[in-house]
């Protein structure tokens, strides 16, 4: 674990070889160092299938005073999962860039009463292609992502976020 200091960027994780997928366990270990809050959110596992990135999460570290999911934790998780989606997509393209959330909103639909899964997909099926074209043309881009939180078969939370990929920093 690297000691984090305010105002100092965390070292990047080396890119995987030639468009290969990141090892989920290694990426999550790096994420816990890079963003200390991530280590406290109850993330148990990460999976990618097609355009979807998902986490399995434990409810216990995210309980509120009523014994259900705390909205602030759930919101942080949706935002972070979207950031991870974009970061991992860039890494598969062999691109190292900074990603930031530009806008987000959530709709709470039902209480979270047990361990849950959180999924993230592009809002538009052309989202990846549009992002790639923007990065190639102008060096920066933006993509809209949708996150859904499922407790069993119940959809408890829907979120949407716009994530910006910043241009390369001059050397």
């Amino acid at each position: 674990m690297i000691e984090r200091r305010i105002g100092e960027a965390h070292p990047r994780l080396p890119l995987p070889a030639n468009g290969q997928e990141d090892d989920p366990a290694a990426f999550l270990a790096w994420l816990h160092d890079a963003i200390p809050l991530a280590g406290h959110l109850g993330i148990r596992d990460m999976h990618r299938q097609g355009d979807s990135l998902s986490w399995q999460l434990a409810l216990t570290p995210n309980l509120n005073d009523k014994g259900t999911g705390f909205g602030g934790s759930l919101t942080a998780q949706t935002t972070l999962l979207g950031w991870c989606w974009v970061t991992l997509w860039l890494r598969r393209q062999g691109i190292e860039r900074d990603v930031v959330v530009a806008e987000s909103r959530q709709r709470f639909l039902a209480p979270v009463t047990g361990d849950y899964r959180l999924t993230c997909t592009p809002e538009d099926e052309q989202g990846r292609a549009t992002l790639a074209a923007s990065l190639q043309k102008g060096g920066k881009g933006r993509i809209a992502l949708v996150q859904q939180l499922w407790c069993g078969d119940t959809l408890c939370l829907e979120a949407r976020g716009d994530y910006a990929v910043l241009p390369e920093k001059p050397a």
Side-chain angles (χ1 to χ4, degrees):
M1 178 181 233
I2 297 172
E3 183 180 337
R4 295 301 319 273
R5 292 197 173 102
I6 295 170
E8 291 183 16
H10 188 73
R12 292 183 192 267
L13 186 63
L15 289 172
N18 285 342
Q20 297 294 311
E21 293 279 333
D22 277 281
D23 171 48
F27 181 80
L28 285 175
W30 171 84
L31 183 67
H32 291 173
D33 283 343
I35 302 174
L37 176 64
H40 303 282
L41 293 175
I43 304 165
R44 291 183 170 165
D45 203 8
M46 179 173 78
H47 296 283
R48 176 175 292 284
Q49 184 174 356
D51 266 355
S52 180
L53 180 65
S54 64
W55 284 344
Q56 296 292 326
L57 297 111
L59 177 58
T60 304
N62 300 292
L63 287 172
N64 65 17
D65 59 321
K66 294 161 214 54
T68 60
F70 174 58
S73 290
L74 306 178
T75 298
Q77 292 167 354
T78 63
T79 301
L80 184 57
L81 182 60
W83 181 91
C84 288
W85 189 101
V86 179
T87 298
L88 289 165
W89 181 84
L90 288 168
R91 291 174 57 74
R92 282 195 321 278
Q93 314 310 306
I95 300 170
E96 287 185 326
R97 294 285 182 78
D98 287 331
V99 176
V100 297
V101 62
E103 181 180 336
S104 69
R105 63 180 176 266
Q106 301 78 32
R107 262 185 44 208
F108 295 89
L109 305 168
V112 178
T113 57
D115 293 348
Y116 53 98
R117 81 180 181 282
L118 189 57
T119 63
C120 180
T121 57
E123 182 177 66
D124 178 351
E125 67 181 47
Q126 297 301 314
R128 288 179 305 126
T130 302
L131 177 58
S134 294
L135 291 172
Q136 188 143 24
K137 182 178 181 182
K140 61 183 178 176
R142 200 167 169 141
I143 188 167
L145 300 172
V146 174
Q147 297 88 19
Q148 293 184 320
L149 187 154
W150 295 88
C151 190
D153 293 330
T154 303
L155 178 60
C156 298
L157 168 64
E158 286 186 312
R160 182 193 179 283
D162 285 343
Y163 294 82
V165 178
L166 303 180
E168 278 185 285
K169 293 179 183 173

